[in-house]
Amino acid sequence: MRLLTHNMLASNIKGVTNGFPLRIEVEKAIEKQVDFNPEFLKNMFTKIHWKALVDASRIMGFAELPEEADSSMLESDDFLRNFHHALLELHLEEGALVCPETGRRFPVNKGIPNMLLHEDEV
Amino acid sequence: MNFRTAQIRLVSSHPEVYEPCDDSFALVDALLADRTNLVQHQPTLCMEVGCGSGYVITSLALILGKESVGAHFIATDINPHAVRVTQETLEAHGVHAELISTDIALGLEQRLAGSVDVMVVNPPYVPTPEDEVGCEGIVSAWAGGENGRVVIDRILPIADNLLSEKGWLYMVTLAANNPIQICRTMREKGYASRIVLQRSTEEESLHIIKFWRDSDI
Ligand SMILES: C[S@@+](CC[C@H](N)C(=O)[O-])C[C@H]1O[C@@H](n2cnc3c(N)ncnc32)[C@H](O)[C@@H]1O
């Protein structure tokens, strides 16, 4: 699971009002190289919750993202490279995503998060 | 590797996962026929709901040309075996999609709203008794309840929420699902539609419908 996916996932348990961002529990993180595509990053930038990405990348052991970002930074190659790495190259392979409100764990196995709810959570 | 679509011999399988069938081939043929438009559309986010073996999302990724055009792919399935099989199928073709085991798009609806540029769905569309819908195992791959519409009718409003302003939805339906009525429902939400492919097999009459937002509606 890329951090892009983490940035797009929220806990949807019945009654939860603020299920984002999910807290990451890392058992195994890996890196996979992805072709650098500035256009894609520019298109994605406005959709990304920046603080969630910064915090998630730190938990995954990458601390190069600035605390705050605005679109003028997209001119900087360094910034884009770090954004690219955090968003697409860091993978949560084994671990869990934890609902910030209820503590419910959504397991991540072989890089795939399981967001399926039990009957009493729907 | 330079395939036009997913290769059957490279598609992974599992006893509880739907194998590519006439409906899967019809959907991929419709995407291939629309290839020029898809490439020009320059989608940023593409998504498949109910990816099964991964045949369709892998083909879509190949049609849009790996990562080079800058599209990102997401696929979901309610069957956890299916997402794993999809992962193997993607890897065998050297393409990537992010996979999530979930019910339609549960967990994604809040943050992904208004962001999906291309959505493809080959839903469980076969008319069956209601209690077969969503049950565990392979039956939920096709069981669509009354008129085969139970899952389709849950997917449509979610697709409407997830699709971007320029978003397109390609969906497989059966004559028994009443595709004209599905188009009417989507029209009420502001979508134009076209049946882009129609194919009758020995068992079923398949319609692939393409939907897009139309400000004149
Ligand atoms: C007809 S099969 C299509 C599989 C594959 N996309 C293809 O075309 O070969 C339908 C798929 O939808 C999945 N599915 C059924 N209900 C679902 C739901 N509520 N949410 C997500 N996926 C679902 C099934 O597990 C199955 O893999």
Side-chain angles (χ1 to χ4, degrees):
Chain A
M1 188 199 76
R2 295 173 171 177
L3 293 190
L4 171 54
T5 301
H6 169 258
N7 213 276
M8 294 299 150
L9 282 175
S11 162
N12 241 346
I13 302 169
K14 187 177 71 183
V16 167
T17 52
N18 200 357
F20 182 86
L22 296 160
R23 193 160 51 75
I24 297 181
E25 278 179 16
V26 185
E27 268 170 49
K28 184 178 170 201
I30 57 172
E31 293 188 11
K32 292 187 195 170
Q33 212 210 318
V34 176
D35 290 343
F36 181 60
N37 187 326
E39 267 331 289
F40 175 76
L41 296 170
K42 287 172 189 167
N43 288 335
M44 280 310 295
F45 182 74
T46 51
K47 303 183 200 294
I48 295 299
H49 186 291
W50 191 256
K51 181 156 174 17
L53 181 65
V54 173
D55 292 347
S57 60
R58 294 222 170 116
I59 291 169
M60 302 281 282
F62 181 69
E64 301 299 317
L65 290 184
E67 208 62 52
E68 277 168 30
D70 61 70
S71 55
S72 70
M73 295 180 178
L74 296 169
E75 305 298 316
S76 149
D77 195 56
D78 271 356
F79 174 80
L80 284 175
R81 297 263 168 200
N82 287 331
F83 180 29
H84 169 79
H85 184 65
L87 195 67
L88 302 175
E89 295 189 324
L90 301 175
H91 281 254
L92 181 63
E93 191 66 7
E94 299 290 334
L97 304 173
V98 184
C99 170
E101 223 172 273
T102 63
R104 155 75 142 91
R105 294 173 83 251
F106 296 95
V108 178
N109 297 123
K110 296 194 175 144
I112 303 173
N114 186 340
M115 301 303 292
L116 289 167
L117 297 175
H118 306 302
E119 252 166 55
D120 58 351
E121 297 173 318
V122 187
Chain B
M1 283 182 286
N2 223 342
F3 305 124
R4 253 156 55 94
T5 63
Q7 305 294 295
I8 287 298
R9 68 189 163 83
L10 295 178
V11 172
S12 192
S13 67
H14 181 280
E16 284 179 35
V17 175
Y18 192 82
E19 280 183 27
C21 253
D22 291 329
D23 46 353
S24 328
F25 301 137
L27 177 54
V28 168
D29 286 347
L31 296 172
L32 262 183
D34 217 19
R35 182 178 190 281
T36 313
N37 292 325
L38 277 165
V39 171
Q40 277 173 4
H41 194 54
Q42 298 193 318
T44 300
L45 290 177
C46 302
M47 177 172 184
E48 178 173 27
V49 171
C51 55
S53 66
Y55 178 77
V56 177
I57 191 73
T58 302
S59 297
L60 182 63
L62 290 167
I63 288 169
L64 282 169
K66 307 240 168 144
E67 307 266 339
S68 56
V69 292
H72 181 86
F73 300 87
I74 301 169
T76 70
D77 203 292
I78 199 167
N79 174 354
H81 298 297
V83 282
R84 270 196 293 279
V85 167
T86 293
Q87 190 167 44
E88 291 165 6
T89 299
L90 287 157
E91 273 172 18
H93 292 82
V95 289
H96 182 86
E98 287 287 286
L99 302 169
I100 301 159
S101 300
T102 196
D103 184 358
I104 305 181
L106 198 69
L108 291 164
E109 287 172 65
Q110 182 187 338
R111 291 276 306 138
L112 208 56
S115 291
V116 176
D117 298 322
V118 174
M119 185 183 273
V120 292
V121 191
N122 179 7
Y125 54 66
V126 179
T128 62
E130 211 72 8
D131 57 4
E132 288 183 9
V133 177
C135 67
E136 289 208 356
I138 186 79
V139 175
S140 67
W142 64 76
E146 195 181 355
N147 300 324
R149 283 284 292 275
V150 172
V151 183
I152 291 176
D153 286 347
R154 284 181 57 222
I155 292 174
L156 295 177
I158 296 171
D160 176 35
N161 171 46
L162 293 182
L163 285 171
S164 69
E165 275 306 309
K166 68 169 191 179
W168 292 346
L169 166 65
Y170 297 84
M171 194 167 73
V172 181
T173 63
L174 206 59
N177 303 143
N178 196 346
I180 302 301
Q181 205 256 329
I182 295 175
C183 293
R184 221 178 295 138
T185 306
M186 288 301 275
R187 200 180 163 80
E188 283 161 18
K189 299 182 197 291
Y191 289 84
S193 57
R194 192 158 55 86
I195 293 172
V196 288
L197 193 146
Q198 202 167 341
R199 185 174 293 171
S200 294
T201 68
E202 271 169 33
E203 287 140 32
E204 43 193 24
S205 163
L206 297 162
H207 298 69
I208 314 292
I209 318 177
K210 178 178 177 181
F211 300 93
W212 65 97
R213 284 182 212 271
D214 186 335
S215 51
D216 292 338
I217 290 179

